[in-house]
Amino acid sequence: MIGGDAMRLLLLSALVCAGVGGAVPGHAQIRFGPLRKPAAPVYDVVALRVEFQPDTTRFSTGDGTFAGDPYHGIEPLIDPLPHDAAYFEAHLAFLEDYVARVSDGKTVVRTHLVPGVAQLPRSIGAYAPTGLDADSDVERAKLARLVHDAWTLAEADIAFDM
């Protein structure tokens, strides 16, 4: 059962998402006007495929590489294998189409898939914030190391002109 305040919040969210605007009892009038910071007309998104040092752990599926079978012989209904360049290109094409549709053609996303795969020097667990301190700067630095390692390897090993 949703309480009154939660229900009003859901209703307010639904009205805002639907673009209805107007008044919600107990809340200020919602007014829609021109966007203060509209999206840029063009964005370039560069995607890089990375794999990790092979490992096995109960906390993830697969072994951290594209060669492994993360589903252990079970054929998935969503996102079936292989997760190769064509798989990621299809997802990037979806992103381009989605942004074009929801922006009524006012925003274009151009996607670029870096050829090849960067193999990181550590296992996936070394890049994952974990434990009770997962929100700490020390744990979050693991994610920064992932980005640093991935793009450093890509720059050194993969021919791609930004």
Side-chain angles (χ1 to χ4, degrees):
M1 183 83 155
I2 297 178
D5 287 338
M7 183 58 81
R8 278 192 289 276
L9 181 60
L10 284 172
L11 177 59
L12 178 62
S13 298
L15 289 171
V16 170
C17 289
V20 173
V24 176
H27 293 279
Q29 178 86 15
I30 301 170
R31 300 195 190 281
F32 294 102
L35 293 174
R36 293 185 196 157
K37 292 185 179 184
V42 178
Y43 290 92
D44 284 287
V45 174
V46 179
L48 172 65
R49 294 180 298 146
V50 299
E51 62 183 11
F52 305 91
Q53 290 300 310
D55 72 347
T56 56
T57 173
R58 65 186 175 96
F59 299 111
S60 66
T61 59
D63 67 358
T65 68
F66 286 109
D69 178 7
Y71 304 112
H72 307 289
I74 299 170
E75 187 64 34
L77 298 176
I78 299 173
D79 289 337
L81 297 172
H83 293 175
D84 54 10
Y87 168 87
F88 288 97
E89 287 168 347
H91 280 73
L92 293 171
F94 174 86
L95 173 64
E96 289 179 5
D97 183 63
Y98 176 80
V99 171
R101 287 175 187 252
V102 299
S103 72
D104 287 331
K106 292 183 174 89
T107 301
V108 173
V109 171
R110 296 183 302 215
T111 60
H112 314 274
L113 181 62
V114 175
V117 177
Q119 186 169 31
L120 298 173
R122 297 176 174 90
S123 67
I124 193 170
Y127 296 106
T130 56
L132 297 175
D133 295 328
D135 286 338
S136 71
D137 289 344
V138 170
E139 288 295 311
R140 288 183 178 177
K142 293 176 180 180
L143 290 173
R145 186 181 319 128
L146 168 68
V147 173
H148 175 268
D149 288 356
W151 287 106
T152 299
L153 283 168
E155 185 176 46
D157 297 339
I158 298 174
F160 180 75
D161 183 11
M162 293 285 259

